[in-house]
Amino acid sequence: MAVCELNISNSLEFRRLRWLEILLYERFGHAFSLDIQSCGILFMRLSNDPRTITFAFNPGTFTRADSNLPCTYWDASSEGWDSALGASLPAPGEASLNLPLIRRTREGIHLGFDILGLTYWMLSRQEEVGRTDLDEHGRFPATSSHAFKHGYLERPVVDEWLHILKQVIQRTWPSILLTQHSFGINVSHDVDQPSQYVFKSWLSIARLMAKHLIKDGDLKSFARAPYVKIATSNELITSDPFNTFDWLMDISDASSIKSSFYFICGRTDIERDAEYEPE
């Protein structure tokens, strides 16, 4: 086997591997070490244990800052592995896969797909570095992403592949106990307009009233607009149609969900800033 001409201790690759070691520890609860000892092979080990998990490794694939990687899909069940979603897994970076993708070796198990390279590429958002195809707000649009182009934008692809790696770890080191995670839902609410009328000027309210009456034919909203404006003093009143805070909290409490509210602060852009002050 040829020896790679790569000074791993002084390269960016060294820092990537250390970052991935931290990620593996947080996900599985064990201090796995990662090393590149031969061309195209990444080694994953436990201290003082001769068994290894190896990965196909191509340092140029998952350091690319573009969305033009090829992509194929792998049917985990065809090789006796459990897919977290019961569906074939997207394999970015590969036009085709050498099957079987996962096979036994004398030292442990070899995976023919660079799961850890994919993890780095996805979580670091390497794909977005230096991009110029941004939207009007300077953001990278989801429609330009590799995930959108290949149909896995709504899938937790890193978690799906780490679910496969978990099974491989358990078969390589069957005696170790892996961390069992308990997942929850935290919902965030961006408060763009906490009130439909209170923070608007009387001129803006007059325009809204005209719209309610002439365009919408909505007499109830026509009468409610000035009432909400006048009746609100120190807190929003319940008849304000945008005052949904109590409803959101009731739903959160009933579902044991944590809700966070994010308010707009400061005035830097008159067209995009909020009408209200947080105070």
Side-chain angles (χ1 to χ4, degrees):
M1 187 176 289
V3 177
C4 258
E5 297 294 330
L6 177 63
N7 187 358
I8 193 69
S9 63
N10 295 318
S11 69
L12 177 60
E13 202 60 59
F14 175 82
R15 295 193 292 274
R16 291 194 187 102
L17 293 182
R18 301 295 80 81
W19 181 83
L20 285 166
E21 287 175 349
I22 295 171
L23 182 145
L24 291 173
Y25 180 79
E26 292 179 347
R27 174 55 66 100
F28 300 119
H30 291 271
F32 296 101
S33 63
L34 301 174
D35 197 10
I36 302 168
Q37 292 186 347
S38 59
C39 291
I41 302 294
L42 173 63
F43 289 79
M44 177 176 167
R45 295 185 173 90
L46 270 177
S47 179
N48 301 319
D49 193 304
R51 289 166 290 187
T52 62
I53 296 173
T54 56
F55 303 84
F57 171 72
N58 184 347
T61 299
F62 291 120
T63 56
R64 289 173 48 173
D66 63 68
S67 304
N68 300 320
L69 293 174
C71 187
T72 188
Y73 279 76
W74 175 61
D75 182 4
S77 62
S78 68
E79 297 186 24
W81 302 91
D82 173 53
S83 169
L85 299 183
S88 296
L89 279 73
E94 302 291 343
S96 62
L97 296 167
N98 292 324
L99 302 178
L101 189 70
I102 303 176
R103 55 182 175 82
R104 286 281 184 179
T105 65
R106 287 184 303 174
E107 298 81 12
I109 295 179
H110 177 75
L111 293 97
F113 178 65
D114 189 1
I115 294 176
L116 298 181
L118 171 67
T119 299
Y120 170 79
W121 187 70
M122 291 294 296
L123 297 187
S124 68
R125 302 309 303 144
Q126 185 72 20
E127 176 183 14
E128 301 180 25
V129 175
R131 295 291 287 263
T132 58
D133 51 339
L134 307 178
D135 67 13
E136 60 180 319
H137 304 296
R139 302 172 301 194
F140 179 71
T143 52
S144 295
S145 69
H146 186 274
F148 179 83
K149 293 177 180 178
H150 293 278
Y152 65 92
L153 181 64
E154 300 296 331
R155 293 179 59 171
V157 62
V158 170
D159 286 315
E160 290 184 71
W161 277 107
L162 291 181
H163 180 71
I164 297 296
L165 179 56
K166 177 182 178 180
Q167 298 170 69
V168 171
I169 291 172
Q170 290 173 323
R171 295 195 191 184
T172 305
W173 296 285
S175 62
I176 66 172
L177 297 177
L178 302 183
T179 299
Q180 299 297 316
H181 294 276
S182 177
F183 296 96
I185 299 175
N186 294 337
V187 182
S188 65
H189 307 277
D190 292 341
V191 184
D192 294 331
Q193 296 186 66
S195 170
Q196 187 171 14
Y197 307 111
V198 171
F199 304 105
K200 295 184 181 299
S201 67
W202 278 109
L203 178 59
S204 296
I205 289 176
R207 291 170 178 164
L208 276 174
M209 292 174 66
K211 176 181 177 296
H212 291 327
L213 183 63
I214 299 170
K215 184 176 180 180
D216 304 331
D218 187 349
L219 291 175
K220 183 177 180 180
S221 294
F222 173 80
R224 181 168 52 192
Y227 169 75
V228 171
K229 174 73 171 177
I230 295 169
T232 302
S233 55
N234 295 325
E235 61 183 39
L236 300 179
I237 61 177
T238 56
S239 58
D240 192 321
F242 285 7
N243 180 12
T244 58
F245 295 99
D246 286 342
W247 177 80
L248 287 169
M249 290 308 303
D250 288 344
I251 296 295
S252 296
D253 292 341
S255 306
S256 299
I257 292 174
K258 178 181 178 181
S259 276
S260 300
F261 294 85
Y262 293 89
F263 295 86
I264 302 174
C265 301
R267 299 295 176 118
T268 58
D269 189 325
I270 193 169
E271 292 183 0
R272 297 192 181 100
D273 283 343
E275 299 169 323
Y276 66 89
E277 297 289 350
E279 292 79 8

